[in-house]
Amino acid sequence: MPDVVPAAARTHTEDLGAFVSASPSSYHAAQEVARRAEAAGYVRLDETAAWDVVPGGRYVVVRDGSVIAFAVPSSAGATTPYTILGTHTDSTGFKLKPKPTTGRDGWVQAGVEVYGGPLLNSWLDREVELAGRLVTADGAEHLVRTGPIARIPQLAIHLDRSANEGLTLDKQRHTQPVVGLGDVSQADVLAELAAAAGTDGTVVDAADVLGYDVVLAETQPPRAFGIGEALWASPRLDNQLSTHAAITALLAVAPEDLSGIGVVAAFDHEEIGSGSRSGAAGPFLEDVLRRVSAGLGASEDERARAFAASLCVSSDVGHAVHPNYPERHDPANHPHAGGGPILKINANQRYATDAHGAARWQAACAAAGVPSQEFVSNNTVPCGSTTGPITATRLGIRVVDVGAAILSMHSARELTAVVDPWYLSRAMQAVLAG
């Protein structure tokens, strides 16, 4: 059959695949955003140093697993508003516990804790890696990824004949992955991590590692499949799909074409409530915006005026209608995969969209030539939330919540249409250009 997916959409989503593959943890994702920004001419800023933000400048700053990139038009002044693309870098799954080497009966295992709300069964029988950061005694931070090293094995059906009637997993007993064979007393998961962290030419001694933030990460590569290869399967679409769309959009718009100060703010810890120094409920975005306004000579009154005229597009993936469970969705609003970005609406402000924000987003989609659709929950199936309401509450900036429609949200491997990440990024470009 003929290819119904535009070549530009395939190129964009293949690059999304490269982004996801480079980003097994939030720390890797933040560094990948920064790497791409620096390659495009953005200057890396250090939060502990003085900043010299000037009109025409482009900058990027990383705080732990979060990253903010921003471009200042040459015409920017004290009351120039911000156009913010807000996303998150973390994904649900499992995080490595202290004393990580465990096991029994000849199996060496890694002790993990559930992170957020993953679909536990989707993590069974997959070869996964350990990825994140190590901090050594000298305070240095080392990104680490082991490659496939672990697997959470499912119990054979011969030992649980009722498994297909309703699988129930105990989060403590049934989710600890196997990583090897032998005597647990002779194994050391931390040593494996230290060895993997030494691949950049440095040598990391396990005894020198005093802290770590490490997660399990799916290792099967993203790929297109299905009739006409119109479908896209990938780990961590929630929410690296939006993060990639946002940084791609910002880098595609020249500073002189921005309608305001263009910002990508990708936060960590959204999946666990955003309450951290690098989460949306923390001060990171406000800290950066205040320093930018100060660099442009803004008084407190002028900074407040800039915020009042600003817009944040909070982008997180949303639910496409599931063909096997259509009754779980609102009967009138059925967002389809391949139907363009979704505008998220909730009467209880679980999403921060209001009429003005909705109008701005719909106008941007029309300007980009992108189809759009609305998402609202079935009244008996309450929706989740994202960073949008938090940003609106913290900063008083108008927020509109949007995203791309996917299936299998919070699975180890999620599903979208090849065209939708491209549609989302094009609409984001239109927002930035005003």
Side-chain angles (χ1 to χ4, degrees):
M1 65 181 296
D3 188 356
V4 296
V5 177
R10 290 205 183 279
T11 298
H12 176 93
T13 306
E14 287 167 2
D15 189 59
L16 167 61
F19 184 94
V20 169
S21 295
S23 306
S25 75
S26 59
Y27 306 99
H28 288 83
Q31 294 296 338
E32 178 63 10
V33 169
R35 184 194 69 78
R36 289 177 177 231
E38 288 182 285
Y42 282 58
V43 175
R44 177 81 75 109
L45 297 175
D46 182 344
E47 287 196 88
T48 65
W51 289 5
D52 184 20
V53 175
V54 297
R58 296 176 294 169
Y59 310 92
V60 62
V61 57
V62 174
R63 179 184 288 187
D64 299 328
S66 299
V67 59
I68 296 176
F70 59 96
V72 185
S74 298
S75 59
T79 59
T80 300
Y82 296 88
T83 305
I84 304 163
L85 305 177
T87 74
H88 68 87
T89 57
D90 61 321
S91 300
T92 60
F94 300 87
K95 187 174 181 181
L96 198 64
K97 287 183 174 182
K99 298 182 176 62
T101 309
T102 66
R104 62 185 301 170
D105 298 312
W107 296 99
V108 178
Q109 294 176 274
V112 298
E113 182 177 9
V114 176
Y115 180 89
L119 283 169
L120 296 177
N121 64 295
S122 72
W123 285 84
L124 300 176
D125 298 333
R126 294 178 178 273
E127 290 69 53
V128 297
E129 64 180 320
L130 295 169
R133 65 177 179 178
L134 310 179
V135 178
T136 46
D138 59 0
E141 181 176 306
H142 306 268
L143 289 183
V144 60
R145 62 185 306 177
T146 62
I149 195 175
R151 179 183 173 111
I152 303 173
Q154 187 165 195
L155 183 66
I157 196 167
H158 311 79
L159 303 178
D160 180 7
R161 296 290 183 180
S162 65
N164 288 332
E165 299 167 14
L167 179 64
T168 300
L169 297 174
D170 183 285
K171 292 180 180 179
Q172 176 62 39
R173 293 184 296 123
H174 300 152
T175 64
Q176 307 307 304
V178 297
V179 296
L181 299 171
D183 186 344
V184 174
S185 66
Q186 302 300 312
D188 189 346
V189 169
L190 190 56
E192 298 294 329
L193 284 165
T199 57
D200 61 357
T202 63
V203 176
V204 178
D205 188 336
D208 225 17
V209 176
L210 301 187
Y212 55 83
D213 295 297
V214 172
V215 297
L216 292 187
E218 159 71 4
T219 59
Q220 185 179 353
R223 64 167 299 162
F225 71 104
I227 297 173
E229 293 196 330
L231 305 177
W232 184 261
S234 173
R236 301 181 291 282
L237 289 179
D238 183 5
N239 189 32
Q240 290 186 18
L241 185 159
S242 295
T243 300
H244 172 264
I247 191 60
T248 300
L250 181 62
L251 298 184
V253 180
E256 59 269 21
D257 293 331
L258 293 166
S259 62
I261 299 169
V263 181
V264 168
F267 300 105
D268 202 354
H269 302 136
E270 189 275 344
E271 297 293 0
I272 54 172
S274 297
S276 69
R277 72 185 293 268
S278 54
F284 186 29
L285 179 57
E286 184 175 5
D287 287 348
V288 170
L289 298 189
R290 285 183 175 275
R291 292 180 78 168
V292 174
S293 289
L296 296 175
S299 66
E300 184 61 17
D301 179 76
E302 289 170 323
R303 193 276 311 158
R305 290 163 61 191
F307 276 25
S310 297
L311 176 70
C312 175
V313 174
S314 169
S315 181
D316 202 347
V317 293
H319 301 291
V321 172
H322 196 303
N324 298 338
Y325 303 90
E327 72 282 358
R328 299 299 180 96
H329 302 267
D330 181 75
N333 295 277
H334 270 207
H336 294 160
I342 55 175
L343 175 65
K344 298 180 175 183
I345 299 169
N346 181 256
N348 298 303
Q349 285 290 291
R350 299 290 288 169
Y351 304 127
T353 301
D354 65 5
H356 286 283
R360 290 278 298 273
W361 179 251
Q362 299 287 29
C365 289
V370 167
S372 63
Q373 48 191 339
E374 292 83 19
F375 170 85
V376 65
S377 291
N378 184 306
N379 288 346
T380 64
V381 187
C383 69
S385 189
T386 184
T387 63
I390 297 171
T391 299
T393 301
R394 275 200 60 93
L395 302 181
I397 289 174
R398 188 181 304 283
V399 174
V400 55
D401 271 296
V402 305
I406 72 168
L407 292 184
S408 306
M409 190 184 296
H410 286 199
S411 172
R413 195 167 177 84
E414 296 159 324
L415 170 66
T416 192
V418 169
V419 295
D420 281 336
W422 176 62
Y423 282 151
L424 178 63
S425 191
R426 286 175 59 196
M428 288 174 166
Q429 288 183 47
V431 169
L432 289 169

